[in-house]
Amino acid sequence: MPVQLSRGCPHRCEFCLSTAIYGGMVRRKSLEQTELELKKLKQLYGDPFIFFTDDNFFSGNQDVHALLALLRRLALRWYAFTDISLYRRGDIIAELYKAGCRKLLIGFESLNAETLQTVNPSGFKKRRIQERNDAVETIQREGIGVIGSFVLGLENDTEQTFEDVYRFVWDSAMYGTNLTVATPFPGTAFFKRMKERRALTDDWNLYDGFTLLYRMKYLNADTFEKKYEELLRRVNSPERVKRVLSYFRALQ
């Protein structure tokens, strides 16, 4: 069941449509309102698995421990989005599983430092590029699956980009992946930059997050589509699923 407790994200990635819509200031529902909504869901659906749709679940001015205590008291299982910095909060990490957290999506976006600086001008993601392996390991050893979110088709991507993503996913035994195609959604800084440089289609049906809409520097459209489909098959292959299962079984 999807639930939204906040709007806004401070990181302002240029391709992010959510930031364009909701802005960079985080606004949150009160703990009292949160409790009312979650209790109503339990009343209606018994034991729902909650998907918190907040762009960055742990950001903003809030008492995280009070929120986790509420979720633990309600005995809910849930999934949320966060950023890589969470893994350094040992006080929070220690509470997550007991509070019902089972999966966390982290937006790694790219493994290339130059690309990260372009898509996230604040430098937040670039500064933490070397922390990615520690972040996945720290969170997953608590029994919480990390879903890595990556954006393919950014300007400087090459064929090696796809291999680098797969190797990171395999080596870390990452629980799952979210692999989308860089899409210059209208209203974003990415759209403005691409529109100034390249002709973009006005067929809005193609702005779906999975279609390459502009010419890349180092890959033609056919090669990109081939490598993208290949990566999707590899990260969802029986061999990789077995690796993930073995990893989490070993934690028990």
Side-chain angles (χ1 to χ4, degrees):
M1 297 298 299
V3 175
Q4 187 175 46
L5 300 182
S6 70
R7 287 179 176 173
C9 178
H11 299 313
R12 297 181 180 274
C13 295
E14 72 160 7
F15 58 80
C16 182
L17 188 59
S18 294
T19 303
I21 294 172
Y22 296 139
M25 185 178 73
V26 180
R27 291 90 67 207
R28 289 194 166 274
K29 293 175 181 175
S30 67
L31 198 63
E32 292 75 19
Q33 178 66 25
T34 298
E35 183 172 3
L36 285 172
E37 292 186 18
L38 295 177
K39 282 184 174 179
K40 189 64 175 180
L41 281 175
K42 283 181 67 71
Q43 178 187 336
L44 291 171
Y45 300 103
D47 183 27
F49 190 95
I50 303 297
F51 167 33
F52 289 113
T53 63
D54 308 48
D55 294 311
N56 199 328
F57 190 68
F58 299 99
S59 69
N61 183 21
Q62 65 165 329
D63 186 341
V64 175
H65 295 288
L67 176 59
L68 294 179
L70 171 62
L71 293 170
R72 183 175 183 178
R73 189 166 70 251
L74 294 176
L76 288 166
R77 295 168 301 123
W78 51 277
Y79 160 47
F81 299 165
T82 186
D83 64 51
I84 193 172
S85 65
L86 177 68
Y87 92 100
R88 289 183 171 274
R89 292 292 306 275
D91 57 326
I92 295 176
I93 295 294
E95 294 183 35
L96 286 177
Y97 192 89
K98 292 178 288 187
C101 182
R102 295 297 179 265
K103 295 181 286 184
L104 288 173
L105 181 143
I106 296 177
F108 295 105
E109 323 310 356
S110 173
L111 303 180
N112 180 284
E114 180 183 352
T115 297
L116 284 178
Q117 184 61 48
T118 300
V119 300
N120 177 229
S122 71
F124 173 84
K125 293 181 183 285
K126 179 183 177 181
R127 289 193 299 272
R128 289 160 177 79
I129 193 170
Q130 299 303 325
E131 300 178 40
R132 58 184 183 266
N133 290 295
D134 289 340
V136 176
E137 180 183 0
T138 299
I139 294 170
Q140 291 202 151
R141 71 185 176 206
E142 298 295 325
I144 298 165
V146 170
I147 298 174
S149 184
F150 301 91
V151 180
L152 286 309
L154 293 165
E155 289 180 278
N156 293 316
D157 284 358
T158 65
E159 290 191 36
Q160 186 62 39
T161 299
F162 297 88
E163 184 61 33
D164 291 344
V165 170
Y166 179 73
R167 184 50 50 194
F168 173 38
V169 170
W170 175 271
D171 290 347
S172 65
M174 190 179 294
Y175 181 84
T177 58
N178 180 54
L179 305 175
T180 58
V181 176
T183 303
F185 291 110
T188 63
F190 189 34
F191 178 84
K192 182 179 180 181
R193 184 161 65 85
M194 291 294 101
K195 193 73 171 177
E196 291 172 350
R197 296 185 182 184
R198 299 170 171 84
L200 293 176
T201 178
D202 289 334
D203 182 355
W204 308 121
N205 292 313
L206 298 177
Y207 288 71
D208 55 10
F210 300 99
T211 303
L212 187 66
L213 297 174
Y214 57 87
R215 182 175 297 178
M216 299 174 64
K217 286 183 181 179
Y218 305 113
L219 295 174
N220 61 43
D222 289 341
T223 301
F224 172 82
E225 184 174 349
K226 176 184 176 183
K227 299 302 292 185
Y228 180 51
E229 291 180 354
E230 180 184 83
L231 180 59
L232 288 170
R233 286 195 299 270
R234 292 176 78 189
V235 299
N236 294 293
S237 67
E239 292 76 18
R240 210 193 76 79
V241 171
K242 288 178 183 177
R243 172 161 172 74
V244 173
L245 290 173
S246 298
Y247 175 91
F248 280 95
R249 284 170 180 158
L251 296 176
Q252 297 176 357

